[in-house]
Amino acid sequence: MKAAVINAFGGPEQLIYTDVPKPVPQGDEILVRNVIIGVGKPDYLVRSGNDPYLEDKLPGLIVGNESAGIVEAIGPEVKNIRVGDQVAVLNGTGCGSHAEYSCAREGFAIVIPKTLSPEQVPGILNLQVAYALLHDVGKGTNGESLYIEGAAGGIGTTLIQMALANGMKVAASASSEEKCAVLRSLGAQCVFNYRDTDPKEAILDFTNGQGVDLIYDQIAGPGLKKRFDYLADFGQIVLYNWLEGDPQLDQLDTIIRRAPHANAIRSFSFHAFDNITPRRLANAAKCFEMIADGRVKPVVYKTLPLSEARQAHELLDAKKIIGKLVMTP
């Protein structure tokens, strides 16, 4: 079978499209004929060697964290998935999906309802992260308004739609007018380019000086402390990535200084669901319902053939993707 592999960690140039042996499912594994393959930040982490959960070894490591397709074979310990089922897969090892076929443990696969197709769930990770951010992690606030900086990616565009479906007020920003136009088209009520607009000014104006209840922050870095300036009383900042690295501040001291406002910082990783499969599957079912009834429509930036995996990763590194980038075998 064909796959995109790396023999050394590094940039997109390390990806090689080549022939590799077709995997055989063992134990509780399933073999999936991939129909659609997602490309996202976890794939960058694996390719660059920065994924702390990476188990597979070089050389010949197949990149790829997520895919959707048809089950072709199952291991002897698989209990609830059958040959012929269509499934979405989040590979717990963070790799293996940039291929025509991939194996995954049953616990990391989700059966897609027959009313949908694999092509309709191009970013199952984005869907589940967005749902968890809104419904599991974002609790404890008034939950009436939120702000997402850098919202044009797969998670951000999904989170906007889910929040609007919940009747929330949404502020979102991006780094270009092209990206901002997409955010407006999704229905976000306050949209601005964070490169030339002060988020504090824009958000306080949007909320009549109150600030937002939730700030979803994938940036962190030195700007984290400033986000308290436009967080409402009893508000919460949720960190779900560290794109600018360590914020270099004493977070407890920062929270204490804001104690009269009862504000908080919370950190989230989707690996929190690794050992609570029933809850993760229940969340996924809710995501499928939202796609089926039209409340959420995944934004697909571009579909490339698997043979152009290197180009896909170049787009990923260049931060040019709006919504979800996918590949087909």
Side-chain angles (χ1 to χ4, degrees), residues 65-112:
N65 182 65
E66 60 180 323
S67 62
I70 311 300
V71 177
E72 289 220 342
I74 60 174
E77 298 173 19
V78 173
K79 297 178 180 178
N80 300 309
I81 294 179
R82 300 289 179 261
V83 171
D85 282 348
Q86 52 183 17
V87 295
V89 173
L90 277 178
N91 206 320
T93 64
C95 49
S97 292
H98 281 19
E100 292 181 309
Y101 294 85
S102 59
C103 273
R105 294 181 60 188
E106 181 179 18
F108 291 103
I110 302 165
V111 176
I112 301 170

Side-chain angles (χ1 to χ4, degrees), residues 196-216:
D196 54 31
T197 300
D198 181 359
K200 177 182 177 180
E201 181 179 329
I203 291 170
L204 291 181
D205 180 64
F206 173 56
T207 60
N208 296 317
Q210 299 301 307
V212 288
D213 298 315
L214 288 159
I215 295 174
Y216 289 105

Side-chain angles (χ1 to χ4, degrees), residues 264-279:
I265 296 177
R266 190 170 186 180
S267 181
F268 172 70
S269 165
F270 197 70
H271 284 285
F273 289 96
D274 281 357
N275 296 314
I276 47 176
T277 300
R279 186 168 178 173

Side-chain angles (χ1 to χ4, degrees), residues 136-218:
D136 294 316
V137 187
K139 293 181 177 179
T141 73
N142 292 332
E144 296 178 356
S145 60
L146 61 84
Y147 168 59
I148 316 160
E149 183 164 315
I155 292 174
T157 52
T158 304
L159 186 53
I160 288 171
Q161 296 177 74
M162 289 185 175
L164 291 171
N166 280 6
M168 300 177 71
K169 297 178 181 178
V170 177
S173 66
S175 60
S176 70
E177 180 52 39
E178 179 188 10
K179 292 180 178 180
C180 285
V182 172
L183 304 185
R184 292 188 190 97
S185 73
L186 295 175
Q189 297 99 332
C190 173
V191 176
F192 57 92
N193 185 328
Y194 62 75
R195 295 189 185 279
D196 54 31
T197 300
D198 181 359
K200 177 182 177 180
E201 181 179 329
I203 291 170
L204 291 181
D205 180 64
F206 173 56
T207 60
N208 296 317
Q210 299 301 307
V212 288
D213 298 315
L214 288 159
I215 295 174
Y216 289 105
D217 184 0
Q218 62 177 319

Side-chain angles (χ1 to χ4, degrees), residues 7-21:
N7 294 320
F9 296 122
E13 72 280 357
Q14 297 295 341
L15 283 161
I16 302 169
Y17 181 67
T18 187
D19 289 297
V20 299

